[in-house]
Amino acid sequence: MKKKIRYNLSNLWFFLLQRRPLGFFNQSNPKILNRHAVLILMLMASIGIAIAQSPSEFPFTSLKQAKGKITLDGELAEADWFTGVPVKDFWQYFPQDTGQAIAQTEIYMTYDEENLYIGVKCWAAGNDYVVRSLKRDYRAGGNDNITFIFDTYYDQTNSFIFGLNPYGVQREGTISNGGQINQDFSTSWDNKWFSAVKRYDGYWVGELAIPFKTLRFKNGETKWRFNSYRFDTQSNERSSWIHIPREQNIYGLAFMGDMIWDKPLKKPGANVAFIPFLSGSAVKSHIDGDQETGFAYGAGGDAKIGVTPGLNLDLTVNPDFSQVEVDRQVTNLDRFEIFFPERRQFFVENADLFGSFGNSRINPFFSRRIGVAQDTATGVNIQNPILFGARLSGKLDNNWRIGVLNMQTDKDEDNGLASLNYGVLAVQRKLFARSNLSFIAVNKQALHEDSSKSFTLLPATYNRVFGVDYAHATVDNKWAGKVFYHRSFTPEKLEKGFAHGGLLTYRLRNLRLTWEHSLVGEGYDAEVGFVPRTGFSRINPEVNVFFYPKGGFINQHGPQLETSFIWTPEDGKTDHRIEGSYDFRFQNTGSLRFTVENRYTYLFSAFDPTRTDGPELPEGSEYTYTSFRVSYRSDSRKRFSFSLNPRAGQYFNGHRIGGSGDVTYRYQPYGSISVNANFNRIILPDSFSTANLLLIGPRIDFTINKSLFFTGFFQYNNQVDNFNINARLQWRFKPVSDFFLVYTENYYSSDLKVKSRALVAKLTYWLNL
């Protein structure tokens, strides 16, 4: 019966597409748009019901409350470690996924009134462990490490992760949206927990104590979901407790076992933390002959209040983000804005609840818009200081999540900026096994601020977006996707102020099929979002094929076809991209890819292909061009590793030759020295500019110990005529308590004349009340 339902639904879907292949993207007929959006929603829900199946009988672990004191010493000496059912018999995930792991792992758990305790014993072929540095929040690839995943609400959608390596370096983070793509995994979340590690001959032992106040969970719960995965460089192996097919992500939340408590969990005690800060800075500008040094001092703080075990209230007053690591610059040859991720800690916890609406190019809320405004005269981003803010986010129960955010920025009379209030409401309801329906409302409102810091609403100056998203994933994660519809509201009452999109992915061991489409009206204006382009329709079909040799040096290979077609109501087709590639992944973790790409571009406005303020290609001109690329990455486990990405081919009405790459030398365990480089030679006809664009970024990461970190970053970018030097020293003198010292210089890359210099110091302290 289930096969029959699937077959009929598929026939209905293809019949509808064949009957109205263009009606789906008809911006002038919103009824057709809404009808097809509803059909996609019904299709995805029906697929979930039709093929939903109970997962295989996954193993379970159980833990009992400790009777004695647990001391973190890396010895697993206390008898309480061994009173429950341990986690054993790890499965290999890489290089193969058909048998037990070579380097086995044992995990033991217990708890008391305050903490969850985890003990792990990691067997190894020798004692030659690989770690990149002693800095926390390391990347797992190319390192020896183990990660623990806790789905505390048993929703198969969100989880906390904690990790250790053989040198005792910690990392923590979150997984959202079921862990379906790399962007669902984040180590930006920072919180307080404790650990100890000891290395022995042929194995290493780690012990963790995670305060219940650090986690979010339902009071009275007796069962969580759990998994753990490990990278072992000596056996060149990745393994996990739950058997995960290699076509799925190793951190995917569809594959987890049960973690059973012997007693219902109690609500932890008062969970209130105050994180005050003090900061000072000296800034000297050399632009336009101004060489005065400006001094500034600041004080403020954040508070984290556990309203319930699953709901957290974050407050901030006069926040300062001067310690945030500088963005890595890129060479921009695109006609539209480039996305940079959020790094500010206040916006990190439950960030997916606010920021995962729409897709990567149609996002109604992008937190980096808060506190940043654009100078209308120069187009340059300028800081708009945040006065205060509040955010309530988390779980109401196993099925409901809620997020409420409100931030207030200061006025800036010198740049003509009004005081702005940002408000966001996000609500998510779990449906079926691993799906959810979400609603978002975003409001940006200008306020009049008088001398007494009183605010008056300016009703004619606002920007609002309302939207609904349905995200779907089957129990076995073979089917996944989403559909959304958003609408913006402005005082101008612009027509076609909507955005709609859909995504559907089907995964098998040897095949992955993806369909994605987007439709954005000309009047869609999400000022607090990330929407680089409006007034277009797009489709993105994609096919990936995978082959898995049983022997030799190739671990996996296969072709990929990725396409994108864009058109507008006025101009017809404006862009296409057809990219064919062939991938090789090697047993030693290296990779190789060959790519050929064909593009068509219709310019609906004049454009300089070099992005250097040179002569522009005329509006209304069109170009078809083809290029070739090769990408190679070496074995990341080696002390010396590198990547090379050469490219050559046509580019608009000329040619583009160049490439990118990086070289890294690891001086274990203290850090690494690396150089990233990107070079593009743009060769255009005589009437246009020919450019040699160079971006080079040497970087030094040095960790004196697990508490003292230094990063030196140099970025030379002649496309924007800037050479930046950034040196950052961090001393973590207590858990989640830091002293930062940051020095920055900026020069013109053309003549190395100085633009500005700045020195910033900041002290933060985490105080539990």
Side-chain angles (χ1 to χ4, degrees):
M1 182 62 185
K2 291 182 180 179
K3 291 184 178 179
K4 185 176 181 180
I5 294 174
R6 273 204 307 270
Y7 177 77
N8 290 339
L9 285 168
S10 300
N11 280 348
L12 173 63
W13 175 239
F14 288 114
F15 171 76
L16 290 168
L17 284 180
Q18 292 167 0
R19 284 290 299 267
R20 289 185 179 269
L22 297 179
F24 185 87
F25 303 97
N26 189 345
Q27 293 190 18
S28 63
N29 192 340
K31 291 183 179 180
I32 293 177
L33 166 68
N34 293 338
R35 182 188 312 140
H36 283 86
V38 170
L39 283 171
I40 289 185
L41 186 67
M42 293 174 61
L43 173 70
M44 292 168 61
S46 300
I47 288 173
I49 296 171
I51 68 172
Q53 58 184 28
S54 299
S56 302
E57 285 297 325
F58 291 143
F60 72 92
T61 181
S62 67
L63 59 166
K64 295 182 179 181
Q65 185 169 2
K67 297 179 181 179
K69 181 181 178 181
I70 300 293
T71 301
L72 300 185
D73 52 16
E75 296 181 3
L76 290 176
E78 294 84 357
D80 285 314
W81 287 115
F82 309 103
T83 57
V85 176
V87 172
K88 293 185 177 181
D89 302 322
F90 271 47
W91 288 85
Q92 196 175 85
Y93 175 83
F94 175 91
Q96 301 296 330
D97 62 356
T98 55
Q100 295 283 305
I102 298 171
Q104 275 296 327
T105 305
E106 303 168 12
I107 300 173
Y108 306 91
M109 288 187 275
T110 185
Y111 71 101
D112 59 23
E113 296 293 332
E114 304 293 333
N115 301 304
L116 165 65
Y117 297 99
I118 307 164
V120 59
K121 188 174 185 178
C122 299
W123 296 93
N127 303 319
D128 298 324
Y129 303 109
V130 174
V131 297
R132 290 186 179 274
S133 73
L134 299 177
K135 188 176 181 180
R136 66 184 297 112
D137 291 337
Y138 53 82
R139 291 180 56 191
N143 295 270
D144 282 281
N145 62 87
I146 188 164
T147 300
F148 310 96
I149 307 175
F150 298 94
D151 177 2
T152 58
Y153 271 90
Y154 213 86
D155 62 5
Q156 306 180 57
T157 306
N158 301 280
S159 70
F160 297 97
I161 68 106
F162 298 87
L164 280 178
N165 72 20
Y167 283 75
V169 182
Q170 300 177 341
R171 73 168 181 166
E172 69 272 273
T174 58
I175 299 173
S176 59
N177 303 313
Q180 297 184 43
I181 59 176
N182 292 340
Q183 289 78 5
D184 295 336
F185 188 103
S186 172
T187 56
S188 297
W189 179 65
D190 204 7
N191 221 306
K192 182 180 289 189
W193 56 288
F194 311 93
S195 63
V197 168
K198 272 192 178 180
R199 298 187 298 276
Y200 301 86
D201 186 21
Y203 66 95
W204 59 279
V205 171
E207 295 178 352
L208 297 75
I210 304 173
F212 286 116
K213 293 180 180 181
T214 294
L215 299 165
R216 309 285 180 259
F217 57 89
K218 182 182 178 182
N219 190 31
E221 192 61 82
T222 59
K223 187 164 63 175
W224 293 358
R225 299 174 76 246
F226 173 79
N227 193 23
S228 177
Y229 64 87
R230 179 182 166 199
F231 286 50
D232 181 77
T233 61
Q234 296 175 84
S235 60
N236 189 26
E237 181 179 65
R238 300 170 190 175
S239 59
S240 63
W241 178 41
I242 303 300
H243 188 194
I244 302 176
R246 62 197 298 184
E247 69 271 15
Q248 303 285 345
N249 285 334
I250 196 170
Y251 50 80
L253 303 187
F255 304 92
M256 302 185 75
D258 285 344
M259 175 178 167
I260 302 172
W261 303 79
D262 65 335
K263 300 176 183 178
L265 288 173
K266 296 180 181 179
K267 179 181 178 179
N271 188 2
V272 179
F274 178 49
I275 309 105
F277 78 84
L278 295 172
S279 67
S281 65
V283 180
K284 187 173 185 178
S285 173
H286 295 259
I287 299 176
D288 299 328
D290 178 15
Q291 296 193 21
E292 291 188 5
T293 300
F295 296 93
Y297 306 93
D302 297 343
K304 300 177 75 70
I305 303 170
V307 180
T308 71
L311 200 60
N312 198 69
L313 175 63
D314 292 276
L315 304 173
T316 186
V317 176
N318 192 31
D320 175 82
F321 304 111
S322 56
Q323 84 284 1
V324 175
E325 187 171 333
V326 65
D327 287 321
R328 187 181 296 274
Q329 295 184 27
V330 297
T331 300
N332 184 11
L333 295 176
D334 194 84
R335 291 173 289 160
F336 307 103
E337 181 184 10
I338 290 178
F339 177 87
F340 289 98
E342 176 63 85
R343 299 177 184 272
R344 297 173 294 179
Q345 183 65 28
F346 179 81
F347 297 99
V348 168
E349 186 171 355
N350 289 309
D352 69 289
L353 183 57
F354 298 95
S356 61
F357 285 82
N359 59 35
S360 62
R361 308 289 288 181
I362 311 172
N363 189 337
F365 176 69
F366 179 38
S367 59
R368 280 182 65 133
R369 300 289 188 218
I370 299 176
V372 179
Q374 191 174 75
D375 188 328
T376 55
T378 64
V380 175
N381 286 339
I382 55 178
Q383 294 298 313
N384 187 198
I386 298 173
L387 296 175
F388 51 84
R391 188 185 63 167
L392 178 71
S393 62
K395 284 273 196 176
L396 297 177
D397 57 30
N398 286 10
N399 294 317
W400 288 96
R401 297 176 75 200
I402 188 170
V404 182
L405 181 145
N406 191 273
M407 306 290 289
Q408 182 67 48
T409 64
D410 201 359
K411 66 180 179 180
D412 185 345
E413 293 180 351
D414 293 338
N415 291 292
L417 296 175
S419 183
L420 296 171
N421 181 268
Y422 298 85
V424 185
L425 170 66
V427 179
Q428 185 181 95
R429 165 70 186 185
K430 180 184 175 183
L431 299 174
F432 311 120
R434 301 183 61 237
S435 306
N436 58 73
L437 183 67
S438 304
F439 169 82
I440 189 170
V442 183
N443 181 58
K444 176 184 176 183
Q445 182 77 57
L447 303 175
H448 171 69
E449 179 183 349
D450 61 26
S451 58
S452 64
K453 293 293 182 181
S454 297
F455 298 96
T456 305
L457 189 69
L458 296 176
T461 310
Y462 64 86
N463 181 269
R464 295 168 186 149
V465 176
F466 297 89
V468 61
D469 287 37
Y470 173 67
H472 184 78
T474 56
V475 174
D476 57 6
N477 212 40
K478 288 184 178 179
W479 289 92
K482 74 182 306 184
V483 62
F484 64 87
Y485 183 81
H486 305 156
R487 196 161 192 95
S488 65
F489 298 87
T490 62
E492 297 81 10
K493 298 181 180 179
L494 301 174
E495 295 183 358
K496 300 180 182 178
F498 63 84
H500 160 68
L503 169 69
L504 191 61
T505 300
Y506 179 58
R507 293 182 180 90
L508 293 174
R509 186 171 182 81
N510 296 96
L511 178 69
R512 183 172 69 231
L513 303 174
T514 302
W515 168 272
E516 185 174 15
H517 69 262
S518 305
L519 176 60
V520 184
E522 293 179 2
Y524 183 66
D525 184 13
E527 291 184 3
V528 194
F530 183 80
V531 188
R533 183 175 183 175
T534 59
F536 71 92
S537 303
R538 182 203 312 257
I539 59 172
N540 298 81
E542 183 179 334
V543 179
N544 296 74
V545 179
F546 309 101
F547 301 106
Y548 306 99
K550 293 187 176 180
F553 65 95
I554 297 177
N555 177 267
Q556 172 187 317
H557 65 93
Q560 172 181 313
L561 178 64
E562 183 177 350
T563 63
S564 175
F565 299 91
I566 303 175
W567 61 94
T568 69
E570 297 81 12
D571 302 310
K573 188 175 81 167
T574 64
D575 300 81
H576 80 227
R577 181 175 62 86
I578 303 173
E579 180 178 296
S581 59
Y582 204 98
D583 288 319
F584 298 89
R585 297 191 179 183
F586 305 120
Q587 302 286 11
N588 68 356
T589 74
S591 62
L592 176 66
R593 169 181 284 192
F594 298 94
T595 301
V596 57
E597 179 186 67
N598 177 264
R599 283 181 176 262
Y600 166 79
T601 302
Y602 172 85
L603 294 179
F604 47 84
S605 60
F607 175 65
D608 168 25
T610 68
R611 295 291 297 258
T612 58
D613 296 326
E616 296 180 326
L617 301 176
E619 176 184 350
S621 56
E622 54 187 341
Y623 307 90
T624 303
Y625 44 104
T626 301
S627 62
F628 302 88
R629 303 193 305 272
V630 179
S631 299
Y632 174 76
R633 178 163 292 281
S634 70
D635 186 349
S636 59
R637 299 171 301 164
K638 303 297 184 182
R639 288 183 180 269
F640 176 82
S641 61
F642 65 94
S643 72
L644 291 174
N645 309 282
R647 66 176 300 151
Q650 300 166 320
Y651 181 66
F652 287 93
N653 61 339
H655 292 82
R656 176 183 175 187
I657 302 172
S660 62
D662 64 76
V663 177
T664 301
Y665 177 76
R666 186 184 75 252
Y667 44 98
Q668 183 171 317
Y670 299 107
S672 62
I673 300 174
S674 62
V675 179
N676 295 273
N678 188 308
F679 175 75
N680 287 277
R681 178 168 173 77
I682 310 297
I683 307 170
L684 301 176
D686 293 338
S687 56
F688 299 95
S689 297
T690 292
N692 295 308
L693 305 179
L694 176 63
L695 170 60
I696 185 167
R699 180 185 178 109
I700 300 172
D701 286 291
F702 182 64
T703 54
I704 300 171
N705 52 45
K706 287 184 286 186
S707 301
L708 193 58
F709 321 122
F710 172 79
T711 300
F713 201 9
F714 308 83
Q715 297 189 94
Y716 176 94
N717 188 345
N718 68 352
Q719 187 185 38
V720 296
D721 195 17
N722 194 70
F723 176 41
N724 171 259
I725 299 174
N726 182 271
R728 180 174 179 265
L729 181 69
Q730 177 184 358
W731 174 34
R732 174 150 289 191
F733 55 90
K734 282 191 174 182
V736 209
S737 300
D738 301 277
F739 173 74
F740 296 93
L741 189 64
V742 182
Y743 180 72
T744 301
E745 289 187 349
N746 285 284
Y747 299 85
Y748 293 100
S749 64
S750 53
D751 55 15
L752 295 183
K753 289 184 178 180
V754 64
K755 291 182 180 179
S756 63
R757 294 186 172 98
L759 179 66
V760 177
K762 181 178 179 182
L763 178 70
T764 67
Y765 187 80
W766 183 295
L767 178 64
N768 285 321
L769 302 180

